[in-house]
Amino acid sequence: MQAQLDQQLKSENIAISWLERSFMAGDTRSLYVAGEDINFQWSIHEVMEFDERWKKGIKRGKTSPQLIAELAEYFGRQPEDIVILVIDRGMKGKIG
């Protein structure tokens, strides 16, 4: 059993090394990946609800930071998740 685990770990390490050499130019030990903790996944229903709530909030005179905090609480998400969706929906012209 241990021999199988050791072989699997060796295979994984070889694959990781190959991927790093093939796709990550430069020193990967100092690589920083932004947004690893952000949840980019939303259901279509959530997106439609988000759009509606965002537009209503803007009409009521709320600021973007206020809406971000409110929507993060409403959806049970981190504010960063909301900010990414705001950027995405704004770029697509779906919210003002």
Side-chain angles (χ1 to χ4, degrees):
M1 179 71 167
Q2 185 62 41
Q4 282 180 314
L5 292 175
D6 289 343
Q7 182 58 37
Q8 184 178 359
L9 182 59
K10 182 178 178 182
S11 295
E12 288 175 4
N13 285 336
I14 290 169
I16 290 168
S17 294
W18 179 82
L19 287 168
E20 286 175 344
R21 284 190 314 276
S22 298
F23 299 104
M24 298 178 169
D27 182 9
T28 58
R29 291 171 294 172
S30 61
L31 181 65
Y32 175 81
V33 178
E36 286 183 317
D37 300 328
I38 299 173
N39 183 352
F40 292 96
Q41 297 179 347
W42 294 83
S43 72
I44 297 300
H45 175 76
E46 288 175 318
V47 172
M48 290 171 36
E49 190 170 358
F50 168 85
D51 289 354
E52 184 179 318
R53 288 179 169 275
W54 183 268
K55 290 173 188 175
K56 284 181 181 177
I58 293 295
K59 284 182 183 176
R60 289 191 320 257
K62 294 212 173 192
T63 65
S64 294
Q66 289 171 326
L67 279 170
I68 289 166
E70 182 181 299
L71 292 168
E73 186 174 331
Y74 177 81
F75 285 106
R77 309 274 294 244
Q78 295 298 313
E80 295 83 3
D81 301 348
I82 304 298
V83 169
I84 294 300
L85 190 57
V86 168
I87 292 167
D88 175 76
R89 301 308 284 166
M91 288 174 63
K92 291 180 174 134
K94 301 297 183 180
I95 59 173

